[in-house]
Amino acid sequence: MPFRLDPEPTFRHVLAQAGAAAGDGPVPPKAGLWVCSGSALVAEIMAGSGTDWLLIDVEHSPNSLESVLAQLQAVHGYPVTPMVRLPWNDTVLIKQYLDLGAQNLLIPMVNDADQARAAVAAVRYPPHGVRGVGAALARGARWNRIPDYLARADETVSLTVQIETADAVANVGEILAVDGVDAIFIGPSDLAASLGHLGEQDHPEVVAAVEHCLEAARDAGKPAGVNAFAEAMARRYIAAGARFLLVGADVALLARSSEELAACFAPPSSADDGASPASY
């Protein structure tokens, strides 16, 4: 008799459980780390760090279906929730990564409610969506070892959309109102560029836009997250209501730590102005 599986808790369920555990008190934020190296070994190291969740990035990283599969397999045994960011809001890509076994998707550059509805349709089977049916062939259904997967597929998937342009900020209320959007995630880097402040994630206009989105999510009763590598900004956004954050990335941690170690043994350089590279 084949081994039968139940779906694992999605990111949506993890956030809900954290809220329930907090009761009437403040909900503790979920801190996560970005996995951009494309390495399953590095992903496993990050999964064992004690962080709450990982973002496996396909948009700005050398990842593919095959490398994401290896990373999902590598982190599977750890008490960490993986999320996969796709390169674009594309129905075919969404189908492929869901079939691959990515349960928690982050869709970038969602600027209005129509784009949000398109993402929702892509993660749902007909008649509620347009996801192609290939469960018997797919790791996402554990090759039909998840009982009644086609009827229960929504239980196995969470959808987070990324707010990272001025248009998205203006439309954030309508985006949050779309049924099937479980959470929003705010990207200050692209948002800064869209607002005319390229590389200035801490510009007052950018910070105000982020906090506006956090407030809108709170009013809508949906969780919101934000990317914040600088600790001071992370704590500010937590105070403003961020339920989940990305606070570092594998490649950035390696770059900065290796630079610091090299600098311990390097002679002073007149070319070194002491400036730190801008955070993501």
Side-chain angles (χ1 to χ4, degrees):
M1 181 176 180
F3 183 61
R4 307 291 282 181
L5 297 174
D6 279 327
E8 296 176 5
T10 65
F11 197 66
R12 175 179 68 247
H13 297 131
V14 169
L15 290 174
Q17 289 165 2
D24 295 330
V27 179
K30 295 293 184 181
L33 296 170
W34 216 303
V35 181
C36 305
S37 62
S39 165
L41 179 63
V42 173
E44 184 173 2
I45 292 170
M46 301 291 274
S49 68
T51 193
D52 294 307
W53 65 290
L54 297 176
L55 181 67
I56 301 172
D57 186 34
V58 187
E59 184 183 11
H60 290 296
S61 301
N63 271 312
S64 63
L65 286 162
E66 291 83 0
S67 65
V68 170
L69 171 60
Q71 289 169 79
L72 291 172
Q73 291 171 327
V75 307
H76 179 73
Y78 292 84
V80 67
T81 302
M83 181 182 290
V84 176
R85 181 169 74 169
L86 273 63
W88 194 244
N89 187 3
D90 180 87
T91 299
V92 174
L93 287 174
I94 289 173
K95 171 183 65 178
Q96 288 183 300
Y97 280 94
L98 288 175
D99 283 353
L100 191 73
Q103 290 183 258
N104 308 294
L105 300 184
L106 176 60
I107 306 300
M109 291 289 178
V110 173
N111 294 321
D112 57 41
D114 285 341
Q115 293 177 5
R117 281 189 284 267
V120 172
V123 305
R124 292 178 170 176
Y125 288 123
H128 305 295
V130 296
R131 179 182 174 186
V133 181
L137 312 176
R139 180 177 179 267
R142 296 304 188 267
W143 306 278
N144 273 348
R145 289 172 180 162
I146 294 178
D148 302 318
Y149 177 79
L150 293 178
R152 302 172 60 199
D154 284 354
E155 298 175 28
T156 74
V157 176
S158 75
L159 177 66
T160 302
V161 300
Q162 194 154 355
I163 306 297
E164 47 188 338
T165 67
D167 285 343
V169 172
N171 296 322
V172 68
E174 295 175 5
I175 293 170
L176 283 159
V178 172
D179 178 52
V181 170
D182 295 305
I184 61 169
F185 186 78
I186 307 152
S189 290
D190 276 302
L191 180 54
S194 177
L195 292 171
H197 307 295
L198 181 64
E200 299 179 66
Q201 295 91 328
D202 57 354
H203 189 282
E205 187 179 2
V206 178
V207 175
V210 172
E211 293 180 338
H212 167 74
C213 293
L214 295 174
E215 181 179 3
R218 185 170 60 250
D219 292 344
K222 291 186 177 181
V226 62
N227 192 65
F229 285 10
E231 183 179 352
M233 292 307 303
R235 297 201 178 279
R236 174 168 179 165
Y237 291 143
I238 290 170
R243 293 279 304 280
F244 57 105
L245 303 96
L246 287 172
V247 296
D250 54 356
V251 291
L253 292 168
L254 180 60
R256 301 294 84 79
S257 295
S258 60
E259 291 161 1
E260 290 173 7
L261 186 60
C264 289
F265 300 96
S269 170
S270 59
D272 183 6
D273 61 5
S276 298
S279 66
Y280 180 81

